[in-house]
Amino acid sequence: MDTAILHFISPPIPYFVDFGYAHYGVGDSHIERNEIRVFDLIVVRKGVLPIGENGQDREIHEGEAFILLPNGHHYGSAPCKTDTEIVWIHFQTFGSWQVCLDMDECMGNQMALIEEHKKLAYLNHADVSSIFIPKHMKLSAKAIEVLETFFQQAHEPQSLRNWKRQATFQSFLQHLNRESSSSANNTAIELADRIELFIRQNYASDITNSVLQQKMNYHPNYLAKMMLKVYGMTPMNYLQYYRLEQSKRLLLQTPWPIARIAEEVGFHHVSHYSTFFSKKEGLSPSGFRSKFAKKH
């Protein structure tokens, strides 16, 4: 179904807060709430739930799920016409997220969201990735099977139950993320991930478009198209970006001279590295180290 996409960046992975279920008889309506400050994932197990959010009304049918936003106005858009049962899961995240009209918009905004997330989540030198969850979705049999384990955990001791529910929620979220992509997007993501993995494992070496063509067995133009679609940058742009990120790790975690760090991450000339770093970060490598490294 056509739906908006919730785009999260991890780490941290969106985390479980609370879980429960509700029953609505004929004539009952969903409760009205405003800015509940957590995401509310509603799964209809039976019947149909009329629900509204910020003036947009819809019906959620059996086997479907809908995510209400933490900063929205939620309400029952009409009384239920049949007996309806729902499961609700409250979850939250830390850092940046956004609602996109479709996957193309998510991909186009990905790098900007990642940069914003790193600042908000204090991840100056961490590897991050995207999670895409449809706002309104038809659940697969596997996702419903994972969801049912929440009920099985009701008899566990509280301390154990909380750990298991967090793990179950992450497994459930993983299914939703995997199922959100079309076959065309899956093809692009699979190839882009292969390129990204190769770059990550070999970034200190001399990587060129010719090398990638030989390793991936695709024309460089096609590889660039797939990387642009998924990561918002070409393989060569991603290589420079990844080298920069790795150099940040070394600036913060080692006492190595700038010249050695440049060489370690694949820059042949320290002057090129320093110029590139300053252009991207707004301060020199030594300035970055002084600003963020722990003072002794």
Side-chain angles (χ1 to χ4, degrees):
M1 62 179 64
D2 293 331
T3 181
I5 306 289
L6 292 175
H7 184 180
F8 298 96
I9 306 294
S10 71
I13 296 172
Y15 54 87
F16 171 83
V17 175
D18 198 8
F19 160 86
Y21 62 94
H23 173 266
Y24 300 91
V26 176
D28 292 339
S29 297
H30 184 68
I31 189 171
E32 181 175 2
R33 296 175 298 180
N34 196 49
E35 297 190 7
I36 62 174
R37 302 180 69 180
V38 291
F39 294 90
D40 188 1
L41 194 161
I42 295 175
V43 177
V44 176
R45 301 178 76 205
K46 174 185 175 183
V48 180
L49 180 68
I51 198 163
E53 180 181 45
N54 298 332
Q56 295 186 345
D57 301 341
R58 67 184 67 216
E59 291 184 338
I60 314 302
H61 294 257
E62 183 175 331
E64 294 180 356
F66 187 74
I67 300 177
L68 297 168
L69 302 180
N71 53 355
H73 174 216
H74 315 144
Y75 51 90
S77 57
C80 291
K81 297 178 181 179
T82 183
D83 281 350
T84 300
E85 295 178 3
I86 71 166
V87 173
W88 54 265
I89 301 174
H90 289 169
F91 69 96
Q92 190 49 280
T93 190
F94 180 70
S96 294
W97 60 275
Q98 65 179 357
V99 181
C100 302
L101 294 176
D102 51 34
M103 284 295 292
D104 287 340
E105 184 181 355
C106 287
M107 297 298 189
N109 295 341
Q110 183 169 220
M111 294 314 299
L113 189 66
I114 284 174
E115 291 306 313
E116 178 187 72
H117 178 80
K118 285 190 172 186
K119 293 176 182 177
L120 292 177
Y122 307 106
L123 301 172
N124 291 308
H125 57 285
D127 291 334
V128 299
S129 60
S130 290
I131 298 172
F132 304 107
I133 308 296
K135 200 170 187 305
H136 184 191
M137 70 206 92
K138 177 73 174 178
L139 296 181
S140 68
K142 185 60 179 177
I144 292 175
E145 180 184 329
V146 173
L147 183 69
E148 290 298 319
T149 61
F150 276 101
F151 293 97
Q152 299 167 14
Q153 293 159 1
H155 304 294
E156 298 276 5
Q158 182 177 0
S159 58
L160 185 60
R161 181 171 68 245
N162 287 341
W163 283 105
K164 287 190 173 182
R165 282 183 171 172
Q166 177 63 41
T168 299
F169 174 69
Q170 290 190 6
S171 177
F172 182 63
L173 213 60
Q174 187 176 18
H175 283 288
L176 302 187
N177 175 62
R178 186 182 300 120
E179 294 162 7
S180 68
S181 299
S182 66
S183 58
N185 279 329
N186 281 334
T187 299
I189 291 170
E190 181 179 343
L191 181 54
D193 283 348
R194 284 178 56 201
I195 299 168
E196 191 273 342
L197 179 61
F198 180 80
I199 289 174
R200 183 153 45 89
Q201 293 177 337
N202 301 277
Y203 67 92
S205 305
D206 288 330
I207 299 177
T208 65
N209 283 321
S210 296
V211 170
L212 289 175
Q213 181 177 13
Q214 181 180 6
K215 294 293 182 180
M216 303 295 157
N217 201 28
Y218 287 102
H219 192 277
N221 289 346
Y222 184 72
L223 298 178
K225 181 180 179 181
M226 295 301 99
M227 281 292 286
L228 279 167
K229 182 177 180 66
V230 178
Y231 286 91
M233 60 182 79
T234 67
M236 293 301 102
N237 290 149
Y238 187 84
L239 173 62
Q240 296 295 81
Y241 164 81
Y242 192 79
R243 284 172 171 168
L244 184 70
E245 293 301 300
Q246 297 314 300
S247 77
K248 290 181 186 178
R249 290 176 179 265
L250 297 179
L251 286 167
L252 298 181
Q253 297 174 0
T254 75
W256 293 350
I258 304 300
R260 179 179 176 183
I261 289 175
E263 183 180 358
E264 288 283 339
V265 300
F267 286 93
H268 296 302
H269 304 287
V270 65
S271 59
H272 177 214
Y273 166 66
S274 295
T275 300
F276 181 74
F277 192 103
S278 298
K279 181 179 179 181
K280 294 295 185 180
E281 297 298 319
L283 70 171
S284 68
S286 57
F288 179 88
R289 172 177 271 168
S290 298
K291 182 176 180 180
F292 294 108
K294 183 179 180 180
K295 303 294 191 299
H296 294 283

